[in-house]
Amino acid sequence: MDIPSPGPEGGIDPADRWVRDPHTGEYELRAAPPAGRPAVPGPRQESVVPRAREGRRRAAGRDRRKEGKGKSTGKRILLWTAGTLTFVLVVTAVGGYLYLRHLDGNISTTDTAGATSDSFSKDKAFNILLIGTDKRQGKGDTGYGDAEDGLGHADTDILLHVSQDRTNATALSIPRDLITDIPDCPTRQPDGTIKTIPGTRHTKFNESLGQLGRDPGCTVRTVERLAGGMKVDHFMMADFNAVKTLTTAVHGVQICLAHAVKDKESHLDLPAGPSTVQGEQALAFVRTRHSWAHESDLDRIQAQQQFLGSLFRRMKSDSTLTSPTTLLDLAEAATKALTVDKGIGHISTLKDVALELKKVPTKNISFGTLPVLDNPADGPVHQTVVLNEGPAQQAFSMIKNDLSFTEVKKKQKAQEAARLKGPRSAPGDVRVDLYNAGAPSGSAQTALAWLQTEKGVTRSSQLGNTGTHQPRTTLEYAAAQADQARELADLMGLPAAALKPGRSEKNAQGLPAIVLRLGADFQGAGVPLTGPAKTPDVQKHTADQVKCAS
């Protein structure tokens, strides 16, 4: 697991350096302690959450001084902050109880009728669908998007995958104009009942939200179908106002233009080169499509990815993390902007999500676009796209198998590959007992038949279901059976991570046999589980790179 390196203050969280002077009620940035001394508050200082914005500081300060009398100063309250890059959170610490309750009240939740998980796990890889809607009912949004009542449509969608070891994350954009199938969607109604909204074949992806009363759970189900059944754990949704409020909270983000833009449609008016945008100009930048090379949604997606990377860098910058006013504004903006599923619908859970994401180095957050092709059914004027099946499924396979789009795992993969090196048995000498431990029904029997008839592993047995469910296929073996395990892993296309040194078991003939348990990742006999050998052919860049939109 990647652990953030200490900053210039010797590892002190910048948020913890803001302390309250009990004599004046004011907040001061404590200097870093001398080398070798612990970073602790002085005997008359207490780290607290500022409860008012800068504009109300003096009046609120008097109230705090009165309020502070008679209360214990021994309790340490950590500072909480959140920001989303139209959804992605960055947290430095946790706020006081009453303030957390206030922020909790800002967040909207949606019951997805089983489309998303009921809880968040800090120990596993996770997928979050980030949904940007074109709803325009907010203040100042009448020039944009969908004016109808309701949720709006799925205007910007990003599948965010965070690896189990937190060394990397992948943000895969899904074009709104992608032609796909929307499945039947069970949807929770205001009276608590569930209504199933019929699916639609060969329609735009953005109609998975809002159309016919579809909710974010339907967009989640559409992505899962598109990705061949890959699980999407949670969703975060925000509308146009999120871009404006978040960029204003951090005092703007820097973007870059390869050429000057004066767009009558979006009202973006900026010179070539770097600019700092916030509010309406930030929204105009992410909405612009006619000023880029092909005037397409795919061009706009690349500009949005540049913007999101810049916002992410801004939120992790010292200028943000050392300013209580900015942090509080960011917390307010982020929580008011979000609608999430009930599984992550509390500040404490969103804080956990944010802290897990914060562990990922910016240079290892990869932005990519789902591979697509112009829709041949459109004729000479291309308005929609279709899936480029091979590369698209390769991209989904990498996410499903927790493989990075960056080079961060190259060394790790080399080390794992070394585990497969060594002597191997002949197929006919491999003794293996097969179990179904979460694979589709009948998988163990079909795998047994394939091994015996196609690969010559005749000393194999199928022993039914384990009664348990495991996400990954595993191959357990004793030291004396390592050569058999290597051969079987090679025949079946198992990754080195599937090999589990341990114990063998006695087979029906009383001889030691290695144990193959087929997990939920098993896709059929002869289908390798090692994932693609190289990064899929997708347009991509990382969050630390600064590019100019063209």
Side-chain angles (χ1 to χ4, degrees):
M1 183 176 292
D2 181 84
I3 301 176
S5 59
E9 286 76 31
I12 306 172
D13 191 316
D16 290 342
R17 295 196 286 112
W18 284 94
V19 295
R20 176 174 178 257
D21 186 326
H23 302 293
T24 66
E26 302 294 334
Y27 297 88
E28 301 174 353
L29 187 63
R30 181 172 69 241
R37 291 183 58 186
V40 296
R44 296 182 61 81
Q45 294 177 328
E46 176 189 6
S47 296
V48 299
V49 177
R51 298 179 185 176
R53 290 186 171 86
E54 193 66 23
R56 303 194 301 272
R57 183 186 48 165
R58 296 186 182 277
R62 289 194 296 271
D63 292 339
R64 284 193 298 270
R65 289 196 292 275
K66 292 178 183 178
E67 187 179 84
K69 293 180 180 180
K71 288 191 176 183
S72 169
T73 59
K75 292 184 179 180
R76 185 173 182 228
I77 305 174
L78 298 177
L79 180 64
W80 184 94
T81 182
T84 90
L85 46 68
T86 316
F87 333 124
V88 176
L89 300 172
V90 175
V91 168
T92 56
V94 185
Y97 175 70
L98 292 178
Y99 190 64
L100 285 179
R101 286 190 63 185
H102 162 71
L103 293 178
D104 234 5
N106 287 346
I107 302 169
S108 299
T109 61
T110 293
D111 184 339
T112 61
T116 51
S117 299
D118 293 332
S119 60
F120 174 73
S121 173
K122 295 187 286 186
D123 301 321
K124 299 178 181 178
F126 59 89
N127 298 318
I128 297 180
L129 183 63
L130 312 176
I131 306 172
T133 78
D134 60 4
K135 178 181 176 182
R136 72 179 193 190
Q137 296 174 51
K139 181 180 178 181
D141 286 342
T142 54
Y144 307 97
D146 186 354
E148 299 296 327
D149 291 337
L151 298 173
H153 292 92
D155 188 67
T156 299
D157 297 87
I158 298 174
L159 178 61
L160 175 68
H161 171 79
V162 180
S163 69
Q164 182 170 352
D165 61 11
R166 307 301 187 248
T167 61
N168 64 90
T170 298
L172 188 67
S173 294
I174 302 173
R176 55 167 289 167
D177 295 331
L178 173 68
I179 298 299
T180 188
D181 293 340
I182 299 174
D184 293 346
C185 297
T187 307
R188 183 75 64 183
Q189 302 300 300
D191 63 0
T193 61
I194 293 180
K195 173 184 176 182
T196 297
I197 299 175
T200 307
R201 289 179 56 80
H202 306 303
T203 191
K204 284 186 179 182
F205 175 83
N206 73 331
E207 293 186 3
S208 64
L209 179 70
Q211 196 84 356
L212 304 178
R214 292 172 176 136
D215 68 0
C218 191
T219 309
V220 166
R221 288 184 168 94
T222 302
V223 171
E224 290 181 337
R225 179 168 183 164
L226 195 63
M230 178 178 63
K231 178 64 179 174
V232 175
D233 303 294
H234 303 285
F235 83 86
M236 294 181 181
M237 181 174 70
D239 62 17
F240 288 155
N241 270 321
V243 176
K244 296 192 290 187
T245 57
L246 290 172
T247 54
T248 301
V250 296
H251 310 296
V253 299
Q254 190 172 81
I255 53 92
C256 181
L257 299 179
H259 55 81
V261 170
K262 192 167 186 176
D263 192 319
K264 294 181 180 180
E265 297 288 335
S266 68
H267 310 296
L268 182 67
D269 187 357
L270 291 174
S275 294
T276 298
V277 296
Q278 61 178 292
E280 289 291 343
Q281 280 289 296
L283 179 57
F285 179 79
V286 299
R287 291 290 301 154
T288 293
R289 64 188 294 175
H290 297 293
S291 294
W292 311 135
H294 303 291
E295 301 188 22
S296 71
D297 190 48
L298 299 181
D299 289 327
R300 183 174 64 172
I301 284 174
Q302 293 185 52
Q304 289 172 346
Q305 291 171 352
Q306 174 202 334
F307 173 85
L308 296 181
S310 181
L311 179 56
F312 191 84
R313 293 192 300 272
R314 180 68 171 175
M315 289 189 297
K316 295 185 76 172
S317 68
D318 287 343
S319 63
T320 297
L321 297 180
T322 57
S323 169
T325 304
T326 301
L327 293 178
L328 287 176
D329 286 347
L330 193 53
E332 291 287 344
T335 51
K336 287 179 180 178
L338 286 174
T339 297
V340 301
D341 61 273
K342 289 185 175 295
I344 54 173
H346 295 284
I347 284 296
S348 58
T349 314
L350 287 176
K351 179 261 299 180
D352 289 340
V353 175
L355 289 177
E356 294 306 306
L357 180 61
K358 187 168 180 270
K359 296 173 183 177
V360 181
T362 305
K363 66 179 181 179
N364 293 335
I365 300 176
S366 301
F367 289 94
T369 303
L370 184 65
V372 293
L373 301 169
D374 288 332
N375 185 2
D378 285 343
V381 180
H382 296 295
Q383 298 178 326
T384 59
V385 293
V386 295
L387 209 61
N388 189 353
E389 286 289 347
Q393 294 307 324
Q394 190 181 14
F396 284 134
S397 178
M398 287 195 72
I399 292 175
K400 191 181 301 184
N401 289 285
D402 200 22
L403 298 176
S404 172
F405 277 24
T406 67
E407 295 299 313
V408 68
K409 288 193 172 182
K410 181 180 288 186
K411 182 177 180 180
Q412 178 183 338
K413 290 177 185 176
Q415 292 172 341
E416 289 184 351
R419 293 172 61 185
L420 291 174
K421 292 182 179 179
R424 302 184 183 190
S425 298
D429 294 331
V430 174
R431 294 186 298 273
V432 56
D433 285 349
L434 285 81
Y435 295 89
N436 189 322
S441 178
S443 292
Q445 184 59 45
T446 57
L448 176 71
W450 179 79
L451 284 172
Q452 290 181 340
T453 60
E454 299 292 330
K455 297 299 178 181
V457 184
T458 55
R459 299 184 179 185
S460 49
S461 304
Q462 189 272 114
L463 300 179
N465 297 326
T466 61
T468 59
H469 184 281
Q470 61 185 53
R472 301 289 178 89
T473 296
T474 59
L475 180 59
E476 188 177 5
Y477 60 96
Q481 280 77 47
D483 53 348
Q484 296 181 40
R486 294 188 194 101
E487 177 64 16
L488 187 64
D490 185 57
L491 292 173
M492 295 197 64
L494 300 181
L499 274 67
K500 305 294 182 184
R503 295 183 301 175
S504 57
E505 67 180 24
K506 294 291 181 66
N507 64 10
Q509 290 74 42
L511 298 173
I514 58 180
V515 181
L516 177 63
R517 298 181 178 90
L518 304 178
D521 61 341
F522 184 74
Q523 301 173 38
V527 180
L529 299 182
T530 51
K534 64 179 182 177
T535 301
D537 184 20
V538 298
Q539 293 180 336
K540 57 186 180 294
H541 68 275
T542 54
D544 64 323
Q545 296 175 331
V546 179
K547 293 187 175 182
C548 292
S550 57

